[in-house]
Amino acid sequence: MARVVMKFGGTSVADMERIRNVARHVEREVKAGHQVAVVVSAMAGETNKLVGFVEDASPVFDAAEYDMVVSSGEQVTSGLLAIVLQEMGIPARSWCGWQVPIETSGVHAAARITNIPPDNLLSSWDEGRVNVIAGFQGIGPDGRITTLGRGGSDTSAVAVAAALGARCDIYTDVDGVYTTDPRIVHEKARRIEKISYEEMLELASLGAKVLQTRSVELAMVHKVPLRVRSSFDDPASPLQVKEDGSGPGTLVCDEDEIMEQQIVTGVAYSRDEAQVAVRRVKDKPGIAAAVFGPLAEANISVDMIVQNVSTDGYANITFTVARNDLRRAIEVLERERINIGYETLDTAEGVAKVSIVGIGMRSHAGVAARMFKALSEKGVNIEAITTSEIKTSVLIDEAFLELAVRTLHTAFGLDAA
Ligand code: ADP
Ligand code: ASP
Ligand code: MG
């Protein structure tokens, strides 16, 4: 008997027929003799609709009330799945985040899970029930409902798996993690059999939204075996996870469990980028601190930074922030104008980031150069670059994004035969 956490995303619970399909996947694991907890997302589109209501109610809103509203989609699907399971003769009950409890920090809309006491879920298992848990939500230190940021049900699932000592299977609308987003590189993207936590973490944080970044971080820290697979596979199919860990989809695991290593494992992209240029600042100590200190205080993360120095003692500092932080970044920099002493402040939203990720980059020189050459051959101009041990990212004009992703996918030998 194993302990299993099964997570189903929005497309997988989009309507009653799909929820019945989910119940059949759950039934298969229960019949195999496992103790099962299920984490569900809201129906596809539901969370966006709820966010829309909040924004309609007021352009400036209380984040605690935002969480109250947007967490409701998961309450609906967890209850519905429990009902369908009961109807199939499988004892089950639903849990809201606060009932488990999934304890979190108090940062509404971006809370972090701090603790999940397993006792309630374990006693419910002892009584022979399947636990169906509303994803994305938790309870803050003041007893109010919190949410974990968009895509947060993945993180709920991994955290519950860590608390229960279970494996975690993420069921979604693709049959695994691919070498790039299959929606962009349709036929040529390939499913990856096994990927290391480190590479998955980079891919997720660089834009591959198949897993929320925090979920991969938690899986890595707590050594939760994490598998991404499709909920559209036949629930009764023999494609099941075997004792030796092999099975359908993609296994996210320790680097040393992977025999075959590519130099580049995947290509990720993000349109969630905006560029800010602070022009003609004095080229002297303290200026970068004057720009980035106030941004950090305002909780705005800065990503790619480029500084060009001219001969007359002035410099331009250009950097990127997440698109929905742009307005606040401008406010902060305008407020600090005299202190920083810049001449003009320019911004652009039509930029995108493309990244290559692979553990093999640690031991191979010239990978970034190959990337730049491939892009230049297609006439794609690079506006900024960042690198780390296992990734290189470039900022480009958003109009060239799909071309760049396809070009790099081919250049690094990732195309399916
Ligand atoms: P869910 O609702 O199940 O959480 P998401 O929409 O959040 O599903 O994540 C699945 C989607 O992630 C896929 O439909 C796919 O378009 C996208 N995606 C982006 N990059 C990748 C990748 N490298 N591999 C697989 N899917 C990816
Ligand atoms: N329903 C939430 C969202 O759309 C959480 C999730 O699906 O993971 O962001
Ligand atoms: Mg998701």
Side-chain angles (χ1 to χ4, degrees):
M1 183 172 73
R3 294 179 169 184
V4 186
V5 172
M6 308 170 75
K7 181 260 172 178
F8 294 89
T11 327
S12 308
V13 294
D15 54 38
M16 283 316 300
E17 195 191 324
R18 298 246 174 104
I19 291 177
R20 290 199 176 89
N21 175 64
V22 164
R24 287 195 288 274
H25 279 286
V26 175
E27 180 184 39
R28 182 193 64 236
E29 300 294 330
V30 170
K31 285 197 168 152
H34 303 319
Q35 288 183 307
V36 179
V38 188
V39 172
V40 286
S41 289
M43 292 182 184
E46 188 61 23
T47 310
N48 285 347
K49 193 175 96 187
L50 295 167
V51 171
F53 285 152
V54 173
E55 288 171 345
D56 191 14
S58 164
V60 188
F61 47 77
D62 175 357
E65 301 307 345
Y66 166 94
D67 279 349
M68 180 69 179
V69 176
V70 304
S71 61
S72 63
E74 275 74 9
Q75 186 168 338
V76 173
T77 46
S78 55
L80 289 173
L81 178 59
I83 293 173
V84 170
L85 287 167
Q86 289 167 7
E87 199 217 18
M88 289 163 68
I90 300 168
R93 71 152 283 185
S94 64
W95 298 85
C96 275
W98 64 268
Q99 293 171 315
V100 172
I102 296 185
E103 295 170 5
T104 74
S105 67
V107 185
H108 286 284
R112 284 166 84 92
I113 297 176
T114 49
N115 185 33
I116 304 181
D119 318 68
N120 288 334
L121 297 177
L122 290 173
S123 350
S124 172
W125 267 351
D126 287 343
E127 287 156 21
R129 280 191 290 261
V130 170
N131 293 312
V132 185
I133 301 159
F136 184 47
Q137 52 170 273
I139 177 169
D142 60 356
R144 300 200 64 178
I145 292 174
T146 54
T147 62
L148 309 177
R150 298 304 305 271
S153 298
D154 297 328
T155 301
S156 310
V158 173
V160 167
L164 295 173
R167 71 163 207 255
C168 185
D169 295 343
I170 305 275
Y171 288 78
T172 183
D173 56 4
V174 273
D175 66 343
V177 178
Y178 275 67
T179 46
T180 193
D181 188 347
R183 280 188 213 185
I184 286 209
V185 181
H186 307 285
E187 304 91 33
K188 290 183 175 164
R190 275 188 294 122
R191 180 169 63 85
I192 302 169
E193 196 85 25
K194 282 184 178 181
I195 186 169
S196 67
Y197 291 119
E198 286 86 349
E199 288 168 314
M200 192 63 236
L201 190 58
E202 289 285 8
L203 284 176
S205 67
L206 294 168
K209 69 164 188 161
V210 61
L211 288 173
Q212 199 196 34
T213 307
R214 180 78 184 129
S215 72
V216 187
E217 225 166 62
L218 277 181
M220 183 158 93
V221 170
H222 297 283
K223 299 232 171 290
V224 175
L226 185 61
R227 184 177 291 278
V228 178
R229 55 179 296 186
S230 173
S231 69
F232 300 123
D233 285 347
D234 178 1
S237 95
L239 281 179
Q240 287 180 47
V241 178
K242 304 200 193 79
E243 294 272 299
D244 66 357
S246 66
T250 299
L251 184 68
V252 188
C253 59
D254 264 335
E255 189 180 321
D256 43 15
E257 287 178 50
I258 301 169
M259 309 293 260
E260 217 184 306
Q261 234 136 50
Q262 309 275 350
I263 297 177
V264 171
T265 304
V267 182
Y269 67 89
S270 160
R271 296 179 201 272
D272 180 27
E273 308 291 324
Q275 199 174 24
V276 181
V278 180
R279 299 202 195 277
R280 279 189 77 75
V281 289
K282 281 246 168 64
D283 182 24
K284 62 168 195 189
I287 294 299
V291 172
F292 298 116
L295 290 169
E297 270 161 39
N299 242 324
I300 298 170
S301 308
V302 170
D303 185 16
M304 310 173 105
I305 304 175
V306 179
Q307 176 168 339
N308 329 31
V309 180
S310 65
T311 45
D312 63 356
Y314 286 89
N316 295 334
I317 301 179
T318 308
F319 57 91
T320 59
V321 295
R323 239 175 241 189
N324 59 4
D325 281 338
L326 179 61
R327 221 193 54 219
R328 283 194 313 124
I330 295 172
E331 277 168 22
V332 169
L333 294 169
E334 283 178 345
R335 195 188 64 212
E336 297 292 323
R337 177 169 196 153
I338 294 176
N339 207 14
I340 302 168
Y342 59 83
E343 204 170 282
T344 53
L345 179 66
D346 296 325
T347 60
E349 291 197 63
V351 288
K353 183 168 66 175
V354 182
S355 312
I356 54 173
V357 172
I359 276 180
M361 289 166 74
R362 281 191 201 134
S363 48
H364 287 79
V367 180
R370 249 168 85 191
M371 178 187 197
F372 306 151
K373 181 156 181 280
L375 292 173
S376 75
E377 282 168 2
K378 298 282 179 182
V380 180
N381 189 43
I382 297 170
E383 299 184 27
I385 301 167
T386 49
T387 63
S388 75
E389 208 187 14
I390 64 164
K391 70 119 201 270
T392 302
S393 303
V394 295
L395 191 73
I396 61 170
D397 182 339
E398 192 180 353
F400 291 101
L401 177 62
E402 299 199 4
L403 172 66
V405 171
R406 273 191 244 108
T407 299
L408 296 174
H409 198 266
T410 306
F412 287 99
L414 298 176
D415 286 356

